[in-house]
Amino acid sequence: LWPGVHAWFGVNYSKFPQRWSKIFTEQSSEKAYEEDNITHGFGLARLKPQGQEIEYDAHSQLGTKRYTHDTWGLGYIVTMEEREDNQYKNKAFQRSKWLARSMAITKEINGANILNRAFDTTNFANGWDARALAVSNHVSLAGTTSNILPVAADISEAALEDMSIQIHAFTDQRGLQGMIKPKSLVIHPSNKFEVHRILKSTLQNDTANNATNALKDMNEYPDGVVVNEYLTDADAWFVLTDVDNGLTYFNRKTLAFTQDNDFGTENALAKAVERYIFGWSDPFGVWASQGA
């Protein structure tokens, strides 16, 4: 705090625009935890022979997904002596801005980690079916169901088309056509230029063929692309679909900034606290490839 310090180094960086809100569906919560019950619908109708009874089907629960809120916080202390002797009081007051930045980036990392850990079947098999988010063997009454490409591939025009075909062919727990659609892509920054060329080219990308760009013309990814700087695997990419109760964010306590004084030391205390949880209920809200 010596007079004449020219600048405060290392804390004036900006942060990326909010990413998690474009990936997760936000819901509020007023309880210690929230639960989603996973159920299945009915199968196909059955032919009723003349004079015979109609067959009856059952609707039952398959499992439960619990979201238990985490509490995240950080604070700082300004000593009595610093407050009295500080030559740069305006800089001291900016610490609340730096604190907000730390909380925001922490939330982005927590959200991105749901995707970063999507393929980890050893440590993060915490779906309702005891599977990781992106695997080939999600539990189904009609047999196991996959939400990954059969052969992992880096992002490309062909891989995006294959993924779209696989999503459109999805069948639900009873083997009925799921009728889900892709909405958007979530990618690492290293793929943003390639994806832009793939989706925005007037004709088929990176070829001399005089062929239309089918992905663009058919508007296969209508909600566009989310470039997420907090993804850790440059090869992995994700497709968000219109499935309900896919990637979910429960907000239990909105970010709150509070200040107080310590009687014994006369230090000033400041802290930020929020409670939330990221997760998923229906894994088919996300389809993914880990890359080649």
Side-chain angles (χ1 to χ4, degrees), residues 77-81 83-84 260-269:
I77 297 174
V78 180
T79 67
M80 177 195 71
E81 291 79 9
R83 287 189 291 113
E84 291 180 351
D260 204 350
N261 293 320
D262 180 73
F263 180 80
T265 63
E266 294 193 39
N267 294 339
L269 312 176

Side-chain angles (χ1 to χ4, degrees), residues 234-247:
D235 295 327
W237 51 279
F238 306 86
V239 175
L240 306 184
T241 72
D242 60 357
V243 166
D244 293 333
N245 301 310
L247 293 179

